[in-house]
């Protein structure tokens, strides 16, 4: 072939590839997933993961719907249409994301595009961003920032929302609504004190199904108990044993592969005993179909020989006092770890209710009710067991966990109901109720083996 003919052919091929390749890259990706009785928010998160384009929706509106569907070689838009079939929701596609909203809901919406940086103007990825109502700070929507510190949320127009941003080791900042807010978070010097970095590794690592937070050696380890640390993780909100993973719902929590059934167990574990925490937003097939999110805590394997101990107490005073005491003893020798733990909780509560009911007819009837409720209880739980590591490839252990109430749990209520007709008293009732309950012993045992073969 002549040189000029070769150049002409090469030029034609270059032009063809420049046309074909962009067309190919713009072809929506097709995928297949099986959904069996999945909560709708969890189904949308799985589709978002496979399709790659963000899906923005309200968890509060979608959480009560469940999905069973077989999605075979569909695009992200087609998959969304499949899971929304039979629900009161529709999908609207934007250039960068999909929006899920109720049918017939024509409320105008607006985008909130913001940026979160630190004191050095460096991006803070995986910061928690919450959209709150202005009056009572009720949670409306939420997300986490991207790698570049940016975030995107959808909100109804005309409402003066508050935007709350938090990041591990930095002071939380709250700003009034703005369509393009910028947050510059300052370090929380109290939390950052005594934090030692033992290795040059990121605090947050991205995994195939969520995020992993390295706790040991970071400000997370100074959060007190595991229960106090959890709300500081990316995607996680809540407190007092009631947690929520944004866009997913209530998570199932594991500690070293053991499912947490009593949330007070999180109060008994100190944050500085935790090595890492995983927040799984798209649980895989190894979890039950109704599991919308998972948090897995991995504790530090203690090294050293001899006897050690730990004691912790907390006290709070409102109308009544509440206290918790925790004590642990541990003995280690040649790979054998023996432990005994005790936890005592004293709980007191006080509540006062005032109720007025007014009916207007031929006469005006009004009933006023005043009620005072008190509750007192004490509870003990313990843990006894061992871990044994004969070598670096094998380990096994057993733990026994008893729990019981101490004495009686007392619940009392007293008050008065007064009924008036045209401001004239017609009836007056004084009432008092008292209830005492006593629970026996609850027993639980857990055994494990972890090893490598070959």
């Amino acid at each position: 072939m002549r040189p000029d003919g070769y150049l002409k052919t090469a030029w034609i091929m270059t032009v063809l590839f420049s046309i074909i390749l962009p067309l190919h890259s713009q072809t929506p990706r097709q995928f297949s997933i099986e959904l069996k009785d999945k909560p709708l928010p969890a189904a949308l998160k799985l589709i978002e993961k496979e399709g790659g384009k963000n899906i923005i929706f309200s968890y509060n509106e979608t959480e009560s719907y469940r999905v069973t569907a077989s999605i075979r070689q569909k695009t992200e838009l087609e998959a969304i249409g499949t899971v929304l079939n039979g629900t009161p929701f529709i999908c609207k596609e934007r250039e960068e994301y999909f929006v899920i909203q109720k049918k017939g809901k024509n409320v105008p919406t607006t985008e909130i595009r913001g940026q979160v940086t630190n004191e050095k103007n460096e991006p803070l990825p995986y910061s928690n961003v919450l959209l709150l109502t202005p009056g009572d700070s009720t949670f409306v929507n939420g997300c986490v920032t991207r790698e570049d510190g940016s975030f995107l949320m959808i909100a109804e127009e005309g409402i003066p929302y508050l935007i709350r941003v938090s990041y591990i080791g930095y002071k939380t900042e709250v700003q009034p609504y703005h369509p393009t807010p910028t947050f510059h978070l300052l370090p929380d010097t109290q939390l950052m004190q005594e934090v030692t970095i033992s290795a040059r590794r990121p605090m947050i690592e991205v995994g195939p199904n969520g995020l992993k937070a390295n706790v040991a050696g970071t400000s997370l380890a100074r959060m007190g108990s595991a229960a106090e640390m959890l709300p500081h993780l990316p995607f996680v909100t809540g407190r007092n044993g009631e947690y929520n993973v944004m866009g997913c719902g209530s998570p199932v929590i594991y500690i070293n592969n053991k499912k947490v059934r009593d949330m007070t167990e999180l109060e008994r574990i100190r944050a500085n005993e935790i090595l890492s925490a995983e927040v799984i937003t798209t649980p895989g097939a190894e979890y039950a179909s109704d599991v919308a999110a998972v948090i897995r805590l991995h504790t530090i394997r203690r090294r050293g020989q001899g006897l050690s101990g730990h004691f912790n107490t907390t006290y709070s005073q409102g109308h009544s006092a509440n206290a918790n005491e925790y004590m642990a003893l541990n003995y280690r020798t040649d790979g054998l770890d023996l432990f005994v733990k005790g936890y005592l909780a004293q709980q007191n509560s006080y509540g006062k209710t005032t109720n007025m009911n007014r009916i207007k007819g031929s006469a005006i009837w009004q009933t006023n009710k005043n009620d005072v409720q008190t509750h007192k209880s004490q509870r003990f739980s313990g843990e006894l067991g061992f871990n044994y590591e004969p070598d670096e490839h094998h380990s096994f252990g057993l733990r026994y966990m008893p729990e019981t109430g101490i004495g009686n749990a007392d619940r009392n209520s007293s008050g008065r109901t007064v009924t008036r007709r045209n401001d004239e008293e017609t009836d007056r009732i004084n009432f008092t109720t008292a209830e005492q309950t006593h629970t026996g012993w609850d027993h639980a045992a857990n055994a494990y083996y972890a090893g490598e073969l070959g």
Side-chain angles (χ1 to χ4, degrees):
M1 181 181 291
R2 292 169 52 188
D4 57 343
Y6 174 79
L7 292 173
K8 184 177 181 179
T9 302
W11 181 82
I12 293 172
M13 294 298 292
T14 302
V15 172
L16 287 174
F17 274 110
S18 66
I19 296 173
I20 294 171
L21 287 177
L23 289 176
H24 177 73
S25 62
Q26 292 172 9
T27 302
R29 179 175 177 268
Q30 294 184 332
F31 54 88
S32 300
I33 55 175
E34 291 289 333
L35 301 172
K36 184 178 180 181
D37 197 32
K38 274 280 187 187
L40 181 54
L44 291 172
K45 281 292 182 182
L46 285 172
I47 293 172
E48 179 184 76
K49 177 187 174 185
E50 294 292 337
K53 192 171 179 179
N54 288 344
I55 304 175
I56 300 176
F57 60 94
S58 169
Y59 175 79
N60 293 337
E61 290 183 345
T62 58
E63 64 176 328
S64 59
Y65 296 89
R66 308 188 75 83
V67 176
T68 297
S70 179
I71 297 174
R72 297 293 182 187
Q73 293 302 307
K74 292 185 180 294
T75 64
E76 187 170 1
L77 180 59
E78 292 171 338
I80 294 173
T82 299
V83 300
L84 294 185
N85 186 31
T87 70
F89 302 101
I90 58 174
C91 173
K92 292 188 176 182
E93 185 175 9
R94 302 287 189 264
E95 183 178 351
E96 299 179 23
Y97 55 86
F98 297 100
V99 178
I100 309 300
Q101 65 183 49
K102 278 193 172 181
K103 298 175 182 176
K105 187 176 181 180
N106 296 317
V107 177
T109 59
T110 182
E111 292 183 352
I112 303 176
R113 291 179 178 270
Q115 185 78 23
V116 181
T117 60
N118 61 14
E119 76 283 6
K120 300 177 181 178
N121 286 326
E122 299 169 335
L124 288 177
Y126 314 116
S127 301
N128 281 340
V129 183
L130 304 183
L131 189 67
L132 310 173
T133 56
D136 52 7
S137 296
T138 301
F139 173 82
V140 177
N141 202 354
C143 66
V144 298
T145 55
R146 304 184 183 100
E147 288 282 353
D148 61 357
S150 65
F151 66 88
L152 168 66
M153 284 192 296
I154 302 297
E156 293 185 12
E157 285 186 358
I159 299 179
Y161 293 108
L162 297 175
I163 304 175
R164 179 179 181 269
V165 175
S166 61
Y167 186 77
I168 305 162
Y170 286 79
K171 294 180 180 179
T172 298
E173 186 174 336
V174 179
Q175 290 185 12
Y177 163 78
H178 189 277
T180 57
T182 300
F183 293 83
H184 297 286
L185 302 189
L186 299 177
D188 190 330
T189 55
Q190 185 176 359
L191 283 177
M192 295 301 289
Q193 290 175 357
E194 301 178 11
V195 172
T196 58
I197 306 299
S198 58
R200 302 290 296 181
R201 63 177 181 179
M203 183 183 296
I204 306 295
E205 300 177 20
V206 182
N209 296 315
L211 301 175
K212 174 185 174 183
N214 294 305
V215 178
T218 72
S219 54
L220 283 171
R222 304 192 68 241
M223 294 294 177
S225 66
E228 295 170 298
M229 183 208 70
L230 286 181
H232 295 273
L233 297 175
F235 289 109
V236 181
T237 62
R239 60 179 181 175
N240 298 331
E242 296 183 1
Y243 303 102
N244 182 73
V245 175
M246 287 186 286
C248 298
S250 299
V252 176
I253 301 176
Y254 290 85
I255 300 176
N256 293 336
N257 298 321
K258 182 172 70 71
K259 186 176 180 179
V260 176
R261 302 184 185 277
D262 180 5
M263 288 299 172
T264 61
E265 188 173 354
L266 298 172
E267 294 283 354
R268 301 195 288 270
I269 295 181
R270 311 310 300 164
N272 59 15
E273 297 179 274
I274 298 174
L275 177 66
S276 63
E278 293 180 75
V279 181
I280 301 174
T281 55
T282 53
E286 64 269 30
Y287 301 100
S289 61
D290 60 346
V291 174
V294 178
I295 297 177
R296 303 190 72 97
L297 303 179
H298 304 276
T299 60
I300 298 172
R301 293 194 175 190
R302 300 295 185 184
R303 301 295 180 184
Q305 305 290 319
L307 182 66
S308 63
H310 177 77
F311 176 77
N312 180 72
T313 183
T314 61
Y315 177 86
S316 62
Q317 178 67 56
H319 187 280
S320 303
N322 289 275
N324 298 284
E325 290 84 29
Y326 168 75
M327 184 179 69
L329 292 175
N330 191 276
Y331 180 75
R332 301 181 185 89
T333 178
D334 296 329
L336 178 63
D337 186 9
L338 301 172
F339 57 86
V340 58
K341 302 176 183 180
Y343 179 78
L344 179 64
Q346 179 177 334
Q347 297 178 330
N348 299 290
S349 65
Y350 173 88
K352 187 175 182 180
T353 303
T354 300
N355 181 272
M356 188 271 284
N357 185 25
R358 185 180 177 90
I359 301 175
K360 189 174 182 180
S362 58
I364 299 176
W365 292 86
Q366 180 172 311
T367 301
N368 294 322
K369 180 181 178 181
N370 298 304
D371 188 11
V372 174
Q373 313 94 28
T374 61
H375 178 242
K376 297 181 180 180
S377 66
Q378 287 185 316
R379 194 159 189 84
F380 167 81
S381 60
E383 190 172 333
L384 173 69
F386 75 91
N387 298 305
Y388 183 54
E389 297 182 45
D391 55 50
E392 61 180 1
H393 301 292
H394 302 276
S395 63
F396 59 91
L398 174 70
R399 66 181 64 196
Y400 164 64
M401 295 159 284
E403 184 176 1
T404 185
I406 299 176
N408 294 323
D410 297 319
R411 189 182 301 273
N412 299 288
S413 177
S414 61
R416 174 182 299 171
T417 300
V418 178
T419 302
R420 290 183 172 86
R421 180 179 183 274
N422 294 331
D423 290 331
E424 182 180 348
E425 184 175 318
T426 61
D427 194 18
R428 177 183 292 260
I429 300 174
N430 296 317
F431 61 88
T432 300
T433 61
E435 178 185 353
Q436 286 189 334
T437 58
H438 180 75
T439 57
W441 286 92
D442 293 326
H443 305 274
N446 175 264
Y448 79 94
Y449 166 76
E452 297 178 10
L453 301 177

